[in-house]
Amino acid sequence: MKYLRKYPFLGPLVAVVVVYVIFASVAPGSFTRAENLTTMAGQTVVVGIAASGMTLVMLLGGIDLSVGSNVALSTVVCALCMRAGAPAILAAAAAMASGLLAGLVNGALVTTLRITPFIVTLGTMRALRGLAKGLADEQKIDAPSSGLDALVAPLPPGYGWALFPPGVWIMLATSGLVAAMLVYTKGGRHIVAIGSNEATARLCGVRVERVKWLVYGLAGLFAGLAGVMEFSTLTVGDPTDSVGLELEVIAAVVIGGGSLAGGEGSVAGALFGALLMTVIRTGSTYLGIDNWVQDIVTGGIVVTAVALDRARRAGETRR
């Protein structure tokens, strides 16, 4: 237990390895091919990037239910910019800016109105979804991908040295930056302090409201980046996309060692949590297992992770 406490990513990492070995032993041989591993990594990108932002929010003791709607809105903004003739880099920047703005609105509502994050983001989840539908005139927006589709597409011949598509490297870089911020910066330590005990953090001089506002803004920015990756996959702006994505993102963080009570979480763990769900989904597809069974298995893993977290906390309290 002490190793899981010090290195919370070890649990989901072991789970990924065990589940992969199980599927590798019973699934067709193509499951273990390098191409399939690359595909699974690419399929983890959207949830993995969004999970970095969600980890920060949950470390604060908050929650963000608007992630899925924010991602859908970002795909719409990206598609609108591309259709208007904007370069790919500007379209991606606009999508990320829309996500950042949505996150800052969440943070402002949480800090100024003193409303529970669950209620605030439940409301903005519907509002952002409605905004996405309004901008798209309630239909998908076809737009030229102009190279953005290469972010998560299989590597072209001659580029095998890159190992993974660019989107995977962006996900890893994002996770690394967030992890470094939490460990090496004062702001990162303030986030953990607020989640552990907000009253004490406030007495120590931490500007709690400002930190919360910035964290929700960062979570929105990452959701916007995840939206760019989703557009790369779909090559359309879809206002109805990513329904329920917030549950996958929260599940990844919880599986990765994040606590719903705040103060604990691991960016690497969240990444492995997202990868675990991808391996389960892909392996089940290879075996012909129905989607509803996959949902039950994933739900069971999440409940088990939360139960283990509660049991560990109860044991520490007794000591």
Side-chain angles (χ1 to χ4, degrees):
M1 275 292 185
K2 69 177 182 179
Y3 290 106
L4 289 179
R5 170 76 173 177
K6 188 175 182 179
Y7 307 107
F9 65 87
L10 288 178
L13 173 59
V14 171
V16 168
V17 173
V18 170
V19 171
Y20 180 80
V21 170
I22 292 174
F23 278 120
S25 63
V26 297
S30 57
F31 178 78
T32 56
R33 289 179 180 172
E35 295 84 353
N36 187 50
L37 295 176
T38 301
T39 300
M40 286 194 290
Q43 292 173 343
T44 307
V45 167
V46 173
V47 174
I49 291 175
S52 291
M54 186 66 77
T55 299
L56 294 177
V57 171
M58 291 180 65
L59 275 169
L60 275 178
I63 200 78
D64 186 358
L65 300 179
S66 67
V67 172
S69 298
N70 202 348
V71 168
L73 175 61
S74 298
T75 68
V76 169
V77 171
C78 190
L80 286 173
C81 292
M82 297 293 280
R83 191 174 66 178
I89 187 67
L90 290 182
M96 293 171 63
S98 70
L100 172 63
L101 180 59
L104 291 175
V105 169
N106 281 337
L109 292 174
V110 168
T111 57
T112 59
L113 299 182
R114 311 284 184 175
I115 303 176
T116 305
F118 181 90
I119 301 300
V120 168
T121 57
L122 183 64
T124 55
M125 175 180 71
R126 300 302 301 168
L128 293 176
R129 182 72 63 179
L131 179 59
K133 290 180 179 179
L135 290 174
D137 199 19
E138 298 196 61
Q139 59 186 352
K140 295 180 181 179
I141 302 175
D142 294 314
S145 57
S146 299
L148 284 180
D149 56 331
L151 288 173
V152 293
L155 293 171
Y159 286 85
W161 53 268
L163 298 180
F164 299 110
V168 176
W169 292 113
I170 291 173
M171 174 185 69
L172 294 175
T174 300
S175 300
L177 287 173
V178 173
M181 182 194 74
L182 288 172
V183 174
Y184 298 111
T185 69
K186 182 170 66 174
R189 291 189 288 272
H190 286 175
I191 292 171
V192 177
I194 292 171
S196 300
N197 192 316
E198 182 175 328
T200 301
R202 196 182 298 275
L203 288 173
C204 291
V206 177
R207 301 175 65 177
V208 173
E209 283 72 23
R210 181 182 178 182
V211 172
K212 286 185 176 182
W213 183 60
L214 292 175
V215 164
Y216 277 97
L218 281 175
L221 179 65
F222 291 135
L225 178 57
V228 174
M229 299 301 166
E230 185 74 354
F231 175 82
S232 172
T233 303
L234 302 174
T235 65
V236 297
D238 188 357
T240 63
D241 180 59
S242 300
V243 174
L245 178 68
E246 58 278 348
L247 300 181
E248 292 187 42
V249 175
I250 294 170
V253 177
V254 171
I255 292 171
S259 173
L260 295 173
E264 292 184 5
S266 166
V267 179
L271 209 58
F272 286 125
L275 182 59
L276 175 63
M277 291 189 290
T278 301
V279 172
I280 292 173
R281 185 166 53 247
T282 304
S284 298
T285 300
Y286 268 80
L287 295 177
I289 299 175
D290 293 332
N291 287 335
W292 63 269
V293 178
Q294 301 175 35
D295 292 339
I296 291 175
V297 172
T298 302
I301 292 173
V302 173
V303 172
T304 302
V306 174
L308 290 174
D309 176 65
R310 293 291 295 273
R312 178 179 59 78
R313 284 175 171 269
E316 291 175 352
T317 302
R318 284 194 294 270
R319 287 198 297 271

Coordinates of all heavy atoms in Angstrom, one line a residue, residues 86-122:
A86 N -9.3 29.6 -42.8 CA -8.2 29.8 -41.8 C -7.2 28.7 -41.9 O -7.5 27.5 -42.1 CB -8.7 29.9 -40.4
P87 N -5.9 29.0 -41.7 CA -4.9 28.0 -41.6 C -5.1 27.0 -40.5 O -5.8 27.4 -39.5 CB -3.6 28.8 -41.4 CG -3.9 30.2 -41.9 CD -5.3 30.4 -41.6
A88 N -4.6 25.8 -40.6 CA -4.9 24.8 -39.6 C -4.4 25.2 -38.2 O -5.1 25.0 -37.2 CB -4.2 23.5 -40.0
I89 N -3.3 25.9 -38.1 CA -2.8 26.3 -36.8 C -3.7 27.3 -36.1 O -3.9 27.3 -34.9 CB -1.3 26.9 -36.9 CG1 -0.7 27.1 -35.5 CG2 -1.3 28.1 -37.8 CD1 -0.5 25.9 -34.7
L90 N -4.3 28.3 -36.9 CA -5.2 29.3 -36.4 C -6.5 28.6 -36.0 O -7.1 29.0 -35.0 CB -5.4 30.4 -37.4 CG -4.2 31.3 -37.6 CD1 -4.6 32.4 -38.6 CD2 -3.7 31.9 -36.3
A91 N -7.0 27.7 -36.8 CA -8.2 27.0 -36.4 C -8.1 26.2 -35.1 O -8.9 26.2 -34.3 CB -8.6 26.0 -37.6
A92 N -6.9 25.5 -35.0 CA -6.6 24.8 -33.7 C -6.5 25.8 -32.5 O -7.1 25.5 -31.4 CB -5.4 24.0 -33.9
A93 N -5.9 26.9 -32.8 CA -5.8 27.9 -31.7 C -7.1 28.5 -31.3 O -7.4 28.7 -30.1 CB -4.9 29.0 -32.1
A94 N -8.0 28.7 -32.3 CA -9.4 29.2 -32.0 C -10.2 28.2 -31.2 O -10.9 28.5 -30.2 CB -10.1 29.5 -33.3
A95 N -10.0 26.9 -31.5 CA -10.7 25.8 -30.8 C -10.2 25.8 -29.4 O -11.0 25.6 -28.4 CB -10.5 24.5 -31.5
M96 N -8.9 25.9 -29.2 CA -8.4 25.8 -27.8 C -8.8 27.1 -27.0 O -9.1 27.0 -25.8 CB -6.9 25.7 -27.9 CG -6.4 24.4 -28.4 SD -4.6 24.3 -28.7 CE -4.0 24.5 -27.1
A97 N -8.9 28.2 -27.7 CA -9.3 29.4 -27.0 C -10.7 29.3 -26.6 O -11.1 29.8 -25.5 CB -9.1 30.6 -28.0
S98 N -11.6 28.7 -27.4 CA -13.0 28.5 -27.0 C -13.1 27.6 -25.8 O -13.9 27.9 -24.9 CB -13.8 27.9 -28.1 OG -13.5 26.6 -28.4
G99 N -12.2 26.6 -25.7 CA -12.2 25.7 -24.6 C -11.7 26.4 -23.3 O -12.3 26.3 -22.2
L100 N -10.7 27.3 -23.5 CA -10.2 28.1 -22.4 C -11.2 29.0 -21.8 O -11.4 29.1 -20.6 CB -8.9 28.9 -22.9 CG -8.4 29.9 -21.9 CD1 -7.9 29.2 -20.6 CD2 -7.3 30.7 -22.5
L101 N -11.9 29.7 -22.7 CA -13.0 30.6 -22.3 C -14.1 29.9 -21.5 O -14.5 30.4 -20.5 CB -13.6 31.3 -23.5 CG -14.7 32.3 -23.3 CD1 -14.2 33.5 -22.3 CD2 -15.2 32.9 -24.6
A102 N -14.5 28.7 -22.0 CA -15.5 28.0 -21.3 C -15.0 27.6 -19.9 O -15.8 27.6 -18.9 CB -15.9 26.7 -22.1
G103 N -13.8 27.2 -19.8 CA -13.2 26.8 -18.5 C -13.1 28.0 -17.6 O -13.4 27.8 -16.4
L104 N -12.8 29.1 -18.1 CA -12.7 30.3 -17.2 C -14.1 30.7 -16.7 O -14.2 31.2 -15.6 CB -12.1 31.5 -18.0 CG -10.6 31.3 -18.3 CD1 -10.1 32.5 -19.2 CD2 -9.8 31.3 -17.0
V105 N -15.1 30.5 -17.6 CA -16.5 30.8 -17.1 C -16.9 29.8 -16.0 O -17.4 30.2 -15.0 CB -17.5 30.6 -18.3 CG1 -18.9 30.7 -17.8 CG2 -17.2 31.8 -19.3
N106 N -16.5 28.6 -16.2 CA -16.8 27.6 -15.1 C -16.1 28.1 -13.8 O -16.7 28.1 -12.7 CB -16.2 26.2 -15.5 CG -17.1 25.5 -16.4 OD1 -18.3 25.7 -16.5 ND2 -16.6 24.5 -17.1
G107 N -14.8 28.5 -13.9 CA -14.1 28.9 -12.7 C -14.7 30.1 -12.1 O -14.8 30.2 -10.8
A108 N -15.1 31.1 -12.9 CA -15.7 32.3 -12.4 C -17.0 32.0 -11.7 O -17.3 32.6 -10.6 CB -16.0 33.3 -13.5
L109 N -17.8 31.1 -12.2 CA -19.1 30.8 -11.6 C -18.9 30.0 -10.2 O -19.6 30.3 -9.2 CB -19.9 29.9 -12.5 CG -20.5 30.6 -13.8 CD1 -21.2 29.5 -14.7 CD2 -21.5 31.7 -13.4
V110 N -17.9 29.2 -10.2 CA -17.6 28.4 -9.0 C -17.1 29.3 -7.9 O -17.5 29.2 -6.7 CB -16.6 27.3 -9.3 CG1 -16.0 26.7 -8.0 CG2 -17.2 26.2 -10.1
T111 N -16.2 30.3 -8.3 CA -15.6 31.1 -7.2 C -16.4 32.3 -6.8 O -16.3 32.7 -5.7 CB -14.2 31.6 -7.7 OG1 -14.4 32.3 -9.0 CG2 -13.3 30.4 -7.9
T112 N -17.1 32.9 -7.7 CA -17.9 34.2 -7.4 C -19.3 33.9 -6.9 O -19.7 34.5 -6.0 CB -18.0 35.1 -8.6 OG1 -18.7 34.4 -9.7 CG2 -16.6 35.5 -9.1
L113 N -19.9 32.9 -7.4 CA -21.3 32.6 -7.0 C -21.3 31.5 -5.9 O -22.3 31.3 -5.2 CB -22.1 32.0 -8.2 CG -22.3 33.0 -9.3 CD1 -23.2 32.3 -10.4 CD2 -22.9 34.3 -8.9
R114 N -20.1 31.0 -5.6 CA -20.0 30.0 -4.5 C -21.0 28.8 -4.7 O -21.5 28.3 -3.7 CB -20.3 30.6 -3.1 CG -19.5 31.9 -2.9 CD -18.1 31.6 -2.5 NE -17.3 32.8 -2.2 CZ -16.1 32.9 -1.8 NH1 -15.4 31.8 -1.7 NH2 -15.5 34.0 -1.5
I115 N -21.1 28.4 -5.9 CA -22.0 27.3 -6.3 C -21.2 26.0 -6.4 O -20.0 26.0 -6.8 CB -22.8 27.5 -7.6 CG1 -23.6 28.8 -7.5 CG2 -23.7 26.3 -7.9 CD1 -24.3 29.1 -8.8
T116 N -21.7 24.9 -5.9 CA -21.0 23.6 -6.0 C -20.6 23.3 -7.4 O -21.4 23.5 -8.4 CB -21.9 22.5 -5.5 OG1 -22.4 22.8 -4.2 CG2 -21.1 21.1 -5.5
P117 N -19.3 22.9 -7.7 CA -18.8 22.7 -9.0 C -19.7 21.7 -9.8 O -19.9 21.8 -11.0 CB -17.4 22.1 -8.8 CG -17.0 22.7 -7.5 CD -18.2 22.8 -6.7
F118 N -20.2 20.7 -9.1 CA -21.1 19.7 -9.8 C -22.3 20.4 -10.4 O -22.6 20.1 -11.6 CB -21.6 18.7 -8.7 CG -22.5 17.6 -9.3 CD1 -21.9 16.4 -9.8 CD2 -23.8 17.8 -9.4 CE1 -22.7 15.5 -10.4 CE2 -24.6 16.8 -10.0 CZ -24.1 15.6 -10.4
I119 N -22.9 21.3 -9.7 CA -24.1 22.0 -10.2 C -23.7 23.0 -11.3 O -24.3 23.1 -12.4 CB -24.8 22.8 -9.1 CG1 -25.3 21.8 -8.0 CG2 -26.0 23.5 -9.7 CD1 -26.2 20.7 -8.5
V120 N -22.6 23.7 -11.1 CA -22.1 24.7 -12.1 C -21.8 24.0 -13.4 O -22.3 24.4 -14.5 CB -20.9 25.5 -11.6 CG1 -20.2 26.2 -12.8 CG2 -21.2 26.4 -10.5
T121 N -21.0 23.0 -13.4 CA -20.6 22.3 -14.6 C -21.7 21.5 -15.2 O -21.7 21.2 -16.4 CB -19.4 21.5 -14.4 OG1 -19.6 20.5 -13.4 CG2 -18.2 22.3 -14.0
L122 N -22.7 21.1 -14.4 CA -23.9 20.4 -15.0 C -24.6 21.4 -15.8 O -25.1 21.1 -16.9 CB -24.8 19.9 -13.9 CG -26.0 19.1 -14.3 CD1 -25.6 17.8 -15.0 CD2 -26.9 18.7 -13.1

